Amino acid sequence: MSFRTTAAVDHVEDVSPGRGALPPRAWYASSDAASLSLNGRWRFRLSPTADAEDDSFAVPGHDTGDWAEVSVPGHWVLQGHGSPIYTNHLYPFPVDPPRVPTENPTGDHLRVFDLPADWPADGDAVLRFDGVESCARVWLNGTDIGDFKGSRLPHEFAVGRLLKPSGNVLAVRVHQWSAGSYLEDQDQWWLPGIFRDVTLLHRPAGAAGDFFVHASYDHVTGEGTLRVDSDVAGRVTVPELDVDVATGETVTVPVEPWSAEVPRLYDGVLATGGERVPLRVGFRTVALQDGLIKVNGKAVLFKGVNRHEWHPERGRALDLETMREDVLLMKRHNVNAVRTSHYPPHPAFLALCDELGLWVIDECDLETHGFVEQDWRDNPVDDDRWTPALLDRAARMVERDKNHPSVVVWSLGNEAGTGRGLTAMAEWIRGRDASRLVHYEGDVTCRDTDVYSRMYASHEEVERIGRGLDGGPHKRRELPFILCEYAHAMGNGPGGLADYQKLFESHDRLQGAFVWEWIDHGIAHPELGFAYGGDFGEELHDGNFVCDGLLFPDRRPSPGLLEYKKVIEPVRIEGDGTGGTVRVTNRYDFADLSALAFEWSYQVDGETVQSGPLSVPALAPGETAEVKLPEPPAEAAGGAETRWTVRALLAAGTTWAPRGHEVAWGQVPVAARSLPSVAATARPVLAERLITLGPASFDARTGALKAVGGVEVTGLRLDVWRAPTDNDDGAPWQSDVRFGLLWRKFGLHRMRHRLDAVEAGDDALTVRTRVAPAAWEVGLDTVYRWTSDGGRLRLTVSVTPEGDWTVPLPRLGIRFGLAHADSVTWHGGGPGEAYPDTRSASRLGRWTSTIDDLQTPYVRPQENGARADVRWAQLGGLRVEGDPEFSFSARRWTNEQLDAAQHLSDLTPGDTVWVNLDHRRHGIGSQSCGPGPLPHYFLWPEPTEFSFVFTETS
């Protein structure tokens, strides 16, 4: 005899989307119908397997006295019950679809609630779950009402017949793993739980069911056409437009169109016999015309980001304030588009995009990336058994979000290979909504899509695509191109943004790109600061690959976001300083410049001496004007460096930023600085243990600098090493050279310094050395030549490569230690860090910072904090001038200590501040997932000479 003991959990491994849920429909935040939020504290019990407990907990009266409590929305693994798991694409369980492990953490959730006293007695009621990972079974007052999968999608159940005035028992059993998990292998933490809202909605007789707001715009006539199709007949009113029509009826009126730049919305109402639903109508038309994505007749350029939902303490359980903060940060940093990677976001986020203005690629909750490890064998998207689940996910996305004007493209999902299921999804979406385009990056032939989309294509390949030289199927060659992911923002970087943007602006076919990604998914940790993969003892994990955003986990902008803001700024301000004018270009797609006020300032040696308003015409999109600058202020002192800075500011406050918010800026050089000159008049004086030269003293045996006046200096020597960045180290699957590994292979992190000679001449102290790694024949012949005029000290470093160098250097400069330094002032690029291919946002001026604030707190410590184009810097009692300009960094630990750290908590400040003065540095690139630095940012060893002038300050 045989029998089964798991019938109660068969739904977990069922490939169907579930049972009992109502058909998907449009989502709206509110109406005049009653609703009751069931968010809050729920009783909770965690079991190690799906069938470890029976269903008796769902019966009213069950004793939960020994149960814990969790917050809903929330993830139980972030509330002390189990641990999160991070994998990029590997499934953290055996791949045997649709089977899942017996070890399947299962959370029983229980909430007892009363209906409000004024809850209507008539009509029906719907129980809505906006997001549960990954599979849920639901009971109300002991009645099993259904189960569902599709973690980031809404599910509703009719429950009116089951409700009672008080003591309602809502029971939800949530399984971490299910057949649905095979469809949700997105690059993120695996976090089970009820992580979005749970709401009870009253459905009066004649309540609005599903409805579809069709609001198009004719850019030729300036008219909008509105039709609202509704399951329940009613009337649509838009008072501002004098519209009052029946549902299903079409009306055409003059309107102002909606765009991400000018997000014009009209307030309206859908009124049925039993409900009034507020509408926010945006008139816009999306079309594929002339091989381009056009909105309201104009081609758009996406300056976008990929956005996972994330909070360092609550995971994907975001509140409205956090969502609004995200949109405000995007707008304030010139981002105009978001791809909702890799699932539909909380619907309130899309309402914010409507209101504040962002183009949205709305992506389905679908990724099967782990099947790549078996050459996509058994991939669900090419297995007809799974197609109903795929179509259910597509329908729940489209029906929920179809009334948002911000959504201009539907995306089938991400990294799910190819297959019949995706084709079925695309066909269903087009049949339901022909007013938007369809995207899917994995469709390399563009059989099912309207956009040619790629990830991490190199600059060279992007340029070929822009020129139409990429080949491929005929259909694809006629489609617009976007990079749905590029510029991997992991750690220090991404580099090369300005080079990409130049390509996008040079070729019409290139319609922009989306940085991967918006925010680091670090989890707040009491000891580590922010935790990443592996910090919770995961069997499989992908380390800090989950920290690859333009925001740090606490939503502080990274230098990468500031760089991106500058690169994509919608106003270009340029000039060469020769004609007394500045060239202003409007890079908006729709808006003129009437909302901006411009101001000029004039800097002498980095300090602003005068400023004022600048009259700039309200240029139309694409227009350029040469704008006359005022007469320069009084003549600067001889040898002073002078420049103009022109800024574009909001002339009035907007919904997303206050008056005076800086949108764009540019600098125009006038007079170049005079390079420092030190006459070699002082002679080296040799004593028993010291050599003195002007204000400096040196070790007589080694020639090592000991002090400049009263400032002690330790360990001054040539330095070529930096703590590799995530982009230096690259990704394991990449075939291109990964420089971080190559640098270690050739020993650049353990260079030896051989002393060859100390020569005290008539006017200089010369120290000859050879700097080279053990085990290799290559080296750097390095000569330090010290001269002085009695008050100042000049160091000239000459470097000559020896041997066959096949690897570029990380950096080339000197480093030394200072015993006392708390702050630094400099004239050069700032206020933040900059590297050869991340320097667009580095503004020339005079800046001051503490040593601690120079550091950039990347979640995994790495090279950071360098300031570029420095003329002079003053710290620890020393003033250092460069010939030519240099980069500097200063920190309370060595590069080697920085290299060894895995978390910020591993870095312990020491008594010495270690200063790097770099003549040149290797680029950053984006090779943590994308391409490395462009060749012209490589630092190849070659004969080089550079100088620094040291002066003791009072």
Side-chain angles (χ1 to χ4, degrees), residues 168-243:
N168 292 283
V169 177
L170 176 58
V172 185
R173 173 164 288 171
V174 181
H175 307 284
Q176 174 155 19
W177 311 124
S178 70
S181 301
Y182 286 99
L183 304 179
E184 297 172 2
D185 189 25
Q186 294 98 337
D187 174 13
Q188 60 181 341
W189 294 97
W190 298 87
L191 298 174
I194 306 172
F195 68 95
R196 287 186 185 160
D197 306 290
V198 183
T199 311
L200 185 68
L201 304 168
H202 180 242
R203 301 284 77 207
D210 188 28
F211 60 90
F212 197 160
V213 178
H214 303 274
S216 61
Y217 178 72
D218 186 327
H219 65 279
V220 176
T221 65
E223 293 178 320
T225 298
L226 176 65
R227 186 184 80 249
V228 178
D229 295 332
S230 176
D231 287 353
V232 177
R235 295 198 69 79
V236 176
T237 55
V238 184
E240 189 175 355
L241 298 176
D242 292 325
V243 168

Side-chain angles (χ1 to χ4, degrees), residues 74-419:
H75 306 278
W76 70 68
V77 294
L78 297 183
Q79 301 184 63
H81 306 280
S83 298
I85 299 169
Y86 169 60
T87 59
N88 167 31
H89 76 280
L90 295 175
Y91 290 104
F93 49 80
V95 178
D96 182 22
R99 304 297 301 279
V100 295
T102 299
E103 297 81 15
N104 187 0
T106 296
D108 289 337
H109 299 68
L110 199 72
R111 171 72 188 266
V112 179
F113 65 93
D114 299 334
L115 294 178
D118 59 351
W119 188 266
D122 62 342
D124 201 348
V126 166
L127 178 64
R128 183 175 69 205
F129 295 88
D130 281 314
V132 182
E133 183 175 334
S134 72
C135 172
R137 188 178 177 191
V138 186
W139 297 261
L140 181 61
N141 291 328
T143 298
D144 179 359
I145 62 174
D147 58 77
F148 62 91
K149 308 176 189 73
S151 296
R152 292 111 206 164
L153 296 162
H155 294 82
E156 293 182 330
F157 298 88
V159 296
R161 71 192 188 283
L162 301 175
L163 290 172
K164 53 187 181 180
S166 61
N168 292 283
V169 177
L170 176 58
V172 185
R173 173 164 288 171
V174 181
H175 307 284
Q176 174 155 19
W177 311 124
S178 70
S181 301
Y182 286 99
L183 304 179
E184 297 172 2
D185 189 25
Q186 294 98 337
D187 174 13
Q188 60 181 341
W189 294 97
W190 298 87
L191 298 174
I194 306 172
F195 68 95
R196 287 186 185 160
D197 306 290
V198 183
T199 311
L200 185 68
L201 304 168
H202 180 242
R203 301 284 77 207
D210 188 28
F211 60 90
F212 197 160
V213 178
H214 303 274
S216 61
Y217 178 72
D218 186 327
H219 65 279
V220 176
T221 65
E223 293 178 320
T225 298
L226 176 65
R227 186 184 80 249
V228 178
D229 295 332
S230 176
D231 287 353
V232 177
R235 295 198 69 79
V236 176
T237 55
V238 184
E240 189 175 355
L241 298 176
D242 292 325
V243 168
D244 185 347
V245 296
T247 54
E249 183 178 337
T250 298
V251 60
T252 298
V253 292
V255 298
E256 298 172 38
W258 187 97
S259 72
E261 295 169 6
V262 186
R264 182 67 161 96
L265 293 172
Y266 293 89
D267 290 327
V269 173
L270 166 62
T272 65
E275 187 176 18
R276 292 174 58 85
V277 181
L279 304 178
R280 304 213 75 190
V281 181
F283 291 89
R284 59 105 187 94
T285 295
V286 184
L288 183 63
Q289 294 177 343
D290 306 319
L292 298 174
I293 303 169
K294 292 187 177 182
V295 180
N296 301 335
K298 291 188 176 182
V300 296
L301 183 63
F302 295 121
K303 304 168 184 178
V305 294
N306 286 273
R307 175 186 176 268
H308 269 297
E309 296 182 305
W310 188 251
H311 188 280
E313 295 171 344
R314 301 191 298 272
R316 288 187 286 279
L318 298 190
D319 56 19
L320 183 61
E321 290 73 22
T322 300
M323 289 184 265
R324 179 175 287 274
E325 184 179 1
D326 276 347
V327 177
L328 292 177
L329 281 167
M330 290 177 190
K331 294 289 291 185
R332 291 169 183 171
H333 289 87
N334 294 329
V335 171
N336 74 356
V338 60
R339 175 180 175 228
T340 69
S341 54
H342 297 293
Y343 42 83
H346 191 293
F349 178 80
L350 298 179
L352 291 168
C353 295
D354 296 340
E355 172 194 345
L356 299 172
L358 287 172
W359 308 118
V360 176
I361 296 180
D362 197 357
E363 193 151 89
C364 196
D365 189 10
L366 173 63
E367 181 166 338
T368 64
H369 199 176
F371 285 91
V372 71
E373 296 296 329
Q374 54 202 56
D375 296 324
W376 298 105
R377 187 175 59 257
D378 297 328
N379 185 9
V381 305
D382 200 27
D383 184 335
D384 290 339
R385 295 176 301 166
W386 295 80
T387 299
L390 303 183
L391 291 174
D392 180 76
R393 288 170 184 249
R396 291 188 182 279
M397 171 182 70
V398 170
E399 302 295 9
R400 191 195 76 167
D401 298 340
K402 59 182 178 283
N403 294 326
H404 291 285
S406 58
V407 176
V408 293
V409 178
W410 300 117
S411 179
L412 304 181
N414 183 70
E415 292 177 319
T418 58

Side-chain angles (χ1 to χ4, degrees), residues 860-935:
R860 186 192 74 80
Q862 56 198 272
E863 166 63 30
N864 73 89
R867 270 56 178 179
D869 302 310
V870 176
R871 282 72 169 144
W872 57 260
Q874 191 167 303
L875 73 167
L878 283 183
R879 178 185 173 96
V880 183
E881 297 177 80
D883 180 8
E885 288 79 24
F886 61 98
S887 299
F888 85 88
S889 58
R891 52 180 65 101
R892 300 186 188 279
W893 38 77
T894 65
N895 294 331
E896 290 75 17
Q897 290 169 326
L898 183 62
D899 186 14
Q902 295 300 305
H903 294 86
L904 292 173
S905 58
D906 296 332
L907 293 169
T908 303
D911 296 331
T912 300
V913 170
W914 291 98
V915 181
N916 273 91
L917 308 178
D918 291 328
H919 172 61
R920 286 188 61 200
R921 289 165 298 153
H922 189 71
I924 296 295
S926 183
Q927 204 176 357
S928 51
C929 191
L934 285 165

Side-chain angles (χ1 to χ4, degrees), residues 580 600 610 612-614 627-633 644:
W600 62 267
Q610 197 169 332
L614 184 67
V627 179
K628 181 69 174 176
L629 290 165
E631 289 298 315
W644 298 96

Side-chain angles (χ1 to χ4, degrees), residues 19-55:
R19 59 181 177 83
L22 295 169
R25 65 184 180 111
W27 191 98
Y28 47 92
S30 64
S31 77
D32 65 350
S35 66
L36 175 65
S37 172
L38 297 179
N39 296 345
R41 300 294 288 176
W42 289 48
R43 304 294 283 180
F44 176 78
R45 174 183 65 186
L46 181 63
S47 302
T49 66
D51 56 353
E53 302 284 350
D54 60 28
D55 302 340

